[in-house]
Amino acid sequence: MQRRMLNDSALSLYREGLDLALAIADTAAMGTMWVNIGVALEDKERYTEALEAQLNALRWKELAGDERNLPRVLHNLGVLYWRQDSTEQALRLIERSVAIKRVYEPGNVAVGLNGVGLLLMELGRLDTALTVLRASLALEDSLDQGAGRQVQLSNIALCFERMGQLDSAVHHYTIALEAARAHDDHYAAVRCLYGIGEVRRMQGRLAEALPRLDSSLALAGRLNSLEDQRESHFSLSKLHEGMGNTRSALRHYKAYHQLSDSLMNADTEATMNELRLRYATEKKDRENKELRSGQELAELR
C-alpha cells in the first residue's frame, strides 16, 4: 500500500498491527509498528506525529535492548531532526545507525551512507559528502540490488550542483531520472526533474528549464507531495522573474510561501522540540532509576 502511495490505507493497517501487538504484549512488534507508522506519517508530511511515533519506537527498542533493530529508528529520527535544521544532531544519529548496521546488517549500510552524505552536504563539507555518496552508490551496485541507486545518483547530482559543477549535475540528474522511471520511483523522478530544471535555470537556459520545472510541479501535485510542490513553485518563481513574467513569478512565489507555512510553522517546530525534550527527560530519569537500583543492589550484596 505504501509503495503504491496509498498512505492512508498503509497507516490504517499499521495501526491495526500495533493494536494486535499490544493485545499480545509483543514489545518487538510494537516497536516495529511504531517505526512503520512514523514513516507513513512522514510520507503524509505530518511531521509532529511522525516524530512522536519514532520516539515511541525508540523507547520500545531501548527497553527491549533490541540494538539489532535500532538503526532504522535512528535513521528516521535523523531525517526528522534534519527537517528541524538540527543538522549536527541528525548527523550523529545517522552515523550511529550506520555503525550498528555494519555489525548486524552490512547489506543495508548504503542507505545510511546516503543519509550521511546529504547531511555533510548541508553542513557545507561538499568534498567529503561527494566521497561518501560515491561510496554509497558503489556499495549499492556491488550488491546488485539497484533499486535505490536513483536516490544516490540524484544526491550526487545535488552535490555537484552545490559545488558549481553544473554540467556534471545535469548528467547525474539525467541518469537518476532514467533509473527512477525504470523502478517506478515517482518521488525520485520529481526531484530529478526539479534538479535538471533548476540547474538549467542557473545556467540561463530558461527555455529548457521551464518544461522540466512544470513537469516536476505537475508530478508533485499528483503525488500530493507538498514539500516537492513548494520547491518547484520557488524555482518557477525565480524562472518567471528571469523571463520577465512578473505575474506568473508572483503567483508561484505566493504558492511557495503558503506551502512553507503549512509544512513547518512555528507551532509545529515548538511541538516537535517539546517531544524531543520530553523523551530526553524520560530517558535521563530511566537511567537514573537504573543507576539507583544498581547501587541498592550493590549495598544489599
Side-chain angles (χ1 to χ4, degrees):
M1 291 293 184
Q2 202 166 345
R3 286 177 181 172
R4 289 163 57 198
M5 293 168 288
L6 300 172
N7 288 316
D8 287 326
S9 298
L11 192 55
S12 176
L13 288 165
Y14 288 144
R15 290 196 186 282
E16 187 177 345
L18 178 61
D19 290 339
L20 290 169
L22 288 165
I24 61 173
D26 186 338
T27 54
M30 289 178 210
T32 299
M33 287 301 164
W34 275 120
V35 172
N36 292 334
I37 288 168
V39 172
L41 287 166
E42 187 179 353
D43 284 347
K44 289 170 65 65
E45 290 157 339
R46 290 159 58 179
Y47 299 129
T48 303
E49 295 168 80
L51 178 61
E52 186 171 17
Q54 296 295 352
L55 288 173
N56 279 332
L58 185 59
R59 287 185 183 95
W60 283 113
K61 297 293 183 190
E62 288 178 337
L63 285 169
D66 187 8
E67 186 182 60
R68 177 184 290 272
N69 293 306
L70 265 180
R72 191 178 173 206
V73 187
L74 294 170
H75 184 96
N76 294 340
L77 282 169
V79 172
L80 288 164
Y81 282 24
W82 174 40
R83 290 188 185 283
Q84 288 188 274
D85 294 326
S86 299
T87 312
E88 290 282 4
Q89 196 169 0
L91 181 60
R92 287 195 294 272
L93 284 166
I94 295 183
E95 285 178 333
R96 184 182 166 202
S97 171
V98 171
I100 299 172
K101 280 182 179 179
R102 289 191 190 280
V103 176
Y104 294 108
E105 44 178 333
N108 288 326
V109 168
V111 175
L113 288 176
N114 189 57
V116 170
L118 267 177
L119 290 165
L120 289 169
M121 208 189 309
E122 289 298 310
L123 291 167
R125 293 153 63 182
L126 298 178
D127 290 334
T128 308
L130 186 58
T131 301
V132 171
L133 289 169
R134 281 175 164 162
S136 173
L137 179 60
L139 183 55
E140 186 80 33
D141 288 342
S142 71
L143 297 169
D144 199 27
Q145 294 174 350
R149 75 190 313 267
Q150 62 270 17
V151 178
Q152 278 118 334
L153 283 164
S154 66
N155 288 335
I156 288 171
L158 179 61
C159 197
F160 276 123
E161 181 184 332
R162 298 270 179 94
M163 295 169 83
Q165 299 181 33
L166 301 184
D167 288 331
S168 294
V170 170
H171 171 71
H172 284 84
Y173 276 132
T174 302
I175 299 172
L177 181 59
E178 291 169 1
R181 285 171 171 165
H183 290 96
D184 289 325
D185 187 340
H186 303 294
Y187 287 101
V190 73
R191 283 155 198 171
C192 292
L193 286 166
Y194 165 79
I196 294 170
E198 176 65 3
V199 172
R200 290 305 189 208
R201 184 197 66 78
M202 292 165 67
Q203 291 176 318
R205 297 162 67 169
L206 306 185
E208 293 178 51
L210 183 57
R212 295 291 190 177
L213 291 173
D214 280 339
S215 295
S216 73
L217 180 59
L219 182 54
R222 289 199 295 274
L223 296 172
N224 196 30
S225 173
L226 302 184
E227 192 169 282
D228 290 316
Q229 289 179 63
R230 178 187 64 178
E231 297 305 314
S232 296
H233 276 300
F234 186 58
S235 197
L236 279 164
S237 72
K238 292 186 287 186
L239 175 67
H240 282 290
E241 184 180 11
M243 298 173 75
N245 302 327
T246 53
R247 183 172 295 179
S248 294
L250 181 60
R251 174 170 57 85
H252 285 294
Y253 191 69
K254 284 182 176 178
Y256 160 75
H257 262 291
Q258 287 171 352
L259 288 166
S260 294
D261 290 342
S262 63
L263 278 168
M264 189 66 77
N265 55 35
D267 290 339
T268 301
E269 186 86 17
T271 306
M272 290 177 77
N273 285 333
E274 185 181 335
L275 286 169
R276 288 166 58 179
L277 179 62
R278 190 190 308 163
Y279 166 76
T281 303
E282 286 175 5
K283 185 179 181 183
K284 190 170 184 179
D285 289 344
R286 190 165 65 242
E287 288 171 349
N288 288 339
K289 185 177 179 181
E290 289 170 358
L291 183 62
R292 286 196 299 273
S293 297
Q295 289 171 340
E296 289 166 4
L297 185 59
E299 288 170 6
L300 286 169
R301 282 176 177 159

